[in-house]
Amino acid sequence: MGAVETPDTESQTVRIAFRVAYAGGRFAGSQQQPDVRTVEGVIIDACIRLGLFSDFRSAAFISAGRTDAGVSAQGQVIAFGTPHPDRAITTLNRMLPPDCWCTGWAAVPPGFNPRYAAETRTYRYIFPLAGLEPEMMEAAVRHFIGMHDFSRIARVVDGRDPMRRIISAEIGVEDDLIIFEVVGESFLWNMVRGMATLLMAAGSGLITPDRIAEILREPGDRIPAAPADPLILWDVDCSLTYHPMERSGKAGIWLGEEERSHLVGRKMMEWLGGNRLDIPRNEEFQNRFRHLL
Amino acid sequence: MGAVETPDTESQTVRIAFRVAYAGGRFAGSQQQPDVRTVEGVIIDACIRLGLFSDFRSAAFISAGRTDAGVSAQGQVIAFGTPHPDRAITTLNRMLPPDCWCTGWAAVPPGFNPRYAAETRTYRYIFPLAGLEPEMMEAAVRHFIGMHDFSRIARVVDGRDPMRRIISAEIGVEDDLIIFEVVGESFLWNMVRGMATLLMAAGSGLITPDRIAEILREPGDRIPAAPADPLILWDVDCSLTYHPMERSGKAGIWLGEEERSHLVGRKMMEWLGGNRLDIPRNEEFQNRFRHLL
């Protein structure tokens, strides 16, 4: 890793870390895969077109963590080596698609790997307030804090340690939404979305908050993951100080159009829904998960 | 029209009008067309599956008006004849897809045609408040009232009269949105969306409100239509009193899920957008339309 020969230059490569934001909706997850649009895929593609590197392996291109299809990020971290650091910093955002951009850069040592450098990761999950009791969710969320075996609410790859340490877990209310923020050293696959399922169950009164401690300990089928689109990788703390980067004009236009479309769409659904008193989301949720809880 | 023979029964047909609501997002418009999903298409399909009629022509199936792809409706009116009125009233909503449902029914005379029975039509258009001055739009909207030639802001089919009478046009502010409500006897194709373009131009300060009167009178290229998704056919007044109909459970679940997704999406875009001070929508809008205004 670090300084490698690239075909277009003989100068030394410099390793840079970028803090990356993306809207998850149009990505099939963050990790590169053939034939689908991924976050790593569009970044690597932009880097190759800019001549920052010709091969992601020799550039030691690495992300701090994987996010699933539909999951957004505010503070993903990637790093790669390039002989053209200035070009990377000044033009990468212009080459990226409108739903993915860098918010900052930091020069890092040649061997820097954001996955191992990450001391903590912070995620946020958004719930609509309607039909949920924030106080119940606040009582529930405490059971996640500390070291626990989370295999009941996550996908654990064979042979991997299912124990994870959660540093903090909080519930906040903002506008008509409940925000769940959780900080951990690292997370199992689907683990935050499994936590979200349990929080919905507690918030809707389907289980008592204290039942969560039992569910985590009990053997049984895996609790299904809540939807991906309300989840955002909020921060990855690699102890770096970033120089700010500006997103492109087209990203600004795209964000404005997306915001407009959600504002309009919400009002449409409010009008079309009329005086809807049912909370169908919870009803459906209860039918799907009741037997597991 | 009216009483016709249907192959499955010899009883008399009864003609019924239905007030229909739909979310426009997944429809290629209201009018039936081969091989695409339309509002008329899904209603006719549901009626045939329920045995309400076997052919839409002999049932004299008619809608009060066409709406474009993406346009929603709260008060579209359709009418058809059927020998099974009870079945229509009690089971049609259960056979319809979740994004289209009847909100009321009324027995009508055999020759009833909602297109001709409609005395007025009401549309609403939603603008995000950011970057727009409601006072300017209020001053602008007055120029639409009365009898005008609207060919500069609508698609006029050859030989059709481009004069239309607008009865009322109002601007309201609700949440972070500006609502434009317009009532007319009838409308040309794309006409409300053309009005929306002019209102955005006046609201963003690109033109003075009084310039609208001149634009309508001046010869010149057609002013492009504003996006379809913020438009809703709010009401068609056929002087009917409707018996209420309940939408299906799956429509309620679908509405709840759509509302959740817009709530979540909006917060995501707010987070990802950060302290965005630009109003890119208007900038783009001005670049596209400036030369016509």
Side-chain angles (χ1 to χ4, degrees):
Chain A
M1 259 180 276
V4 289
E5 273 187 34
T6 59
D8 56 332
T9 175
E10 290 173 23
S11 64
Q12 282 239 268
T13 69
V14 176
R15 193 156 178 84
I16 316 175
F18 292 89
R19 194 179 49 201
V20 180
Y22 46 87
R26 302 191 303 170
F27 288 107
S30 67
Q31 199 180 27
Q32 57 176 324
Q33 298 170 56
D35 304 324
V36 289
R37 187 174 187 266
T38 64
V39 177
E40 287 186 353
V42 301
I43 299 174
I44 290 169
D45 183 52
C47 289
I48 290 171
R49 278 182 293 139
L50 283 170
L52 301 179
F53 54 73
S54 51
D55 175 67
F56 75 92
R57 286 173 210 84
S58 50
F61 180 100
I62 302 169
S63 301
R66 301 177 193 178
T67 56
D68 287 344
V71 175
S72 298
Q74 175 83 293
Q76 173 70 284
V77 178
I78 61 148
F80 57 80
T82 177
H84 307 293
D86 286 355
R87 195 190 299 167
I89 292 158
T90 54
T91 58
L92 183 52
N93 271 351
R94 265 182 274 161
M95 196 57 87
L96 285 168
D99 51 350
C100 177
W101 59 90
C102 304
T103 63
W105 66 272
V108 288
F112 178 82
N113 181 326
R115 194 175 320 164
Y116 302 131
E119 284 164 32
T120 65
R121 291 167 169 86
T122 304
Y123 283 92
R124 287 191 178 188
Y125 195 95
I126 305 171
F127 305 92
L129 184 58
L132 295 174
E133 288 290 340
E135 297 76 19
M136 290 295 116
M137 294 167 80
E138 226 171 301
V141 93
R142 292 182 205 135
H143 295 290
F144 297 139
I145 299 169
M147 190 69 129
H148 300 282
D149 179 336
F150 287 103
S151 47
R152 191 96 202 267
I153 58 164
R155 294 193 195 201
V156 185
V157 179
D158 274 350
R160 293 268 315 259
D161 181 5
M163 301 296 288
R164 286 293 182 275
R165 184 185 309 282
I166 296 302
I167 296 159
S168 79
E170 281 172 38
I171 292 289
V173 176
E174 199 175 301
D175 305 325
D176 285 330
L177 302 167
I178 298 175
I179 315 292
F180 164 49
E181 186 181 282
V182 59
V183 183
E185 291 170 348
S186 67
F187 291 84
L188 299 166
W189 190 18
N190 275 185
M191 178 174 151
V192 184
R193 289 164 58 191
M195 289 174 161
T197 301
L198 292 180
L199 289 176
M200 270 197 274
S204 61
L206 186 62
I207 59 170
T208 63
D210 292 345
R211 176 91 183 93
I212 287 179
E214 297 168 14
I215 289 171
L216 292 179
R217 277 195 307 266
E218 277 170 12
D221 287 347
R222 195 167 66 83
I223 307 286
D229 61 306
L231 180 60
I232 182 166
L233 173 55
W234 190 255
D235 190 41
V236 177
D237 182 3
C238 295
S239 302
L240 296 175
T241 305
Y242 298 93
H243 302 275
M245 287 170 72
E246 244 179 85
R247 64 175 158 252
S248 68
K250 72 183 178 222
I253 289 173
W254 184 83
L255 275 162
E257 182 51 37
E258 284 289 300
E259 210 172 331
R260 183 199 68 77
S261 137
H262 287 302
L263 271 168
V264 164
R266 198 220 159 163
K267 179 54 81 181
M268 278 294 170
M269 292 307 146
E270 198 186 301
W271 278 343
L272 291 174
N275 297 319
R276 198 154 41 85
L277 294 172
D278 50 334
I279 309 291
R281 178 177 54 75
N282 288 330
E283 197 185 308
E284 189 194 32
F285 167 74
Q286 295 187 8
N287 291 340
R288 281 177 58 205
F289 300 148
R290 172 163 273 145
H291 65 289
L292 295 170
L293 302 169
Chain B
M1 258 180 276
V4 289
E5 274 188 33
T6 58
D8 57 330
T9 175
E10 290 171 22
S11 64
Q12 282 237 269
T13 69
V14 175
R15 193 155 178 84
I16 316 174
F18 293 89
R19 193 178 50 202
V20 180
Y22 46 87
R26 301 192 304 169
F27 288 107
S30 66
Q31 199 180 27
Q32 56 174 324
Q33 296 171 56
D35 304 326
V36 289
R37 187 174 187 267
T38 64
V39 177
E40 287 185 352
V42 300
I43 298 174
I44 290 169
D45 183 51
C47 288
I48 290 171
R49 277 182 294 140
L50 283 171
L52 301 180
F53 54 73
S54 51
D55 176 65
F56 76 91
R57 288 174 209 84
S58 50
F61 180 101
I62 303 170
S63 301
R66 302 177 191 180
T67 56
D68 288 344
V71 175
S72 298
Q74 174 84 292
Q76 174 70 282
V77 179
I78 60 148
F80 58 80
T82 177
H84 307 295
D86 286 356
R87 196 191 298 168
I89 291 156
T90 54
T91 57
L92 183 52
N93 271 351
R94 264 181 276 161
M95 196 58 87
L96 285 169
D99 50 350
C100 176
W101 59 90
C102 304
T103 63
W105 66 272
V108 289
F112 178 83
N113 181 326
R115 195 177 317 163
Y116 302 131
E119 285 164 32
T120 65
R121 290 166 169 84
T122 304
Y123 284 93
R124 287 190 178 188
Y125 195 95
I126 305 170
F127 304 93
L129 184 57
L132 295 174
E133 288 288 341
E135 296 76 19
M136 290 294 117
M137 295 168 80
E138 225 170 301
V141 95
R142 292 184 203 133
H143 294 290
F144 297 138
I145 299 169
M147 189 71 129
H148 299 282
D149 179 336
F150 287 104
S151 47
R152 191 96 202 267
I153 59 164
R155 294 193 195 198
V156 185
V157 179
D158 274 349
R160 291 278 302 267
D161 182 6
M163 302 295 288
R164 286 292 183 275
R165 183 185 308 282
I166 295 303
I167 296 161
S168 79
E170 282 172 37
I171 292 291
V173 176
E174 199 175 300
D175 304 326
D176 285 330
L177 302 167
I178 297 176
I179 315 293
F180 164 48
E181 186 181 280
V182 59
V183 184
E185 291 169 348
S186 68
F187 290 84
L188 299 166
W189 189 19
N190 274 185
M191 177 173 151
V192 184
R193 288 165 58 191
M195 289 173 162
T197 300
L198 293 181
L199 289 176
M200 268 198 277
S204 63
L206 187 62
I207 58 171
T208 63
D210 292 345
R211 176 91 184 93
I212 287 180
E214 297 168 14
I215 289 172
L216 291 179
R217 277 196 306 266
E218 277 170 13
D221 287 347
R222 195 167 68 81
I223 307 286
D229 60 306
L231 180 61
I232 182 166
L233 173 55
W234 190 256
D235 190 39
V236 177
D237 183 2
C238 295
S239 302
L240 296 174
T241 306
Y242 297 93
H243 303 274
M245 287 170 71
E246 243 179 85
R247 64 174 158 253
S248 67
K250 70 182 179 225
I253 290 173
W254 184 82
L255 275 162
E257 182 51 36
E258 283 290 299
E259 210 173 331
R260 183 198 70 76
S261 138
H262 287 302
L263 271 168
V264 164
R266 196 217 161 165
K267 179 54 78 180
M268 278 294 170
M269 293 306 147
E270 197 187 301
W271 279 341
L272 290 175
N275 297 320
R276 198 156 39 88
L277 294 173
D278 50 335
I279 310 290
R281 178 178 52 76
N282 289 330
E283 198 186 306
E284 189 195 31
F285 167 74
Q286 295 187 10
N287 291 340
R288 280 177 60 204
F289 301 146
R290 172 163 273 144
H291 65 290
L292 295 170
L293 301 171

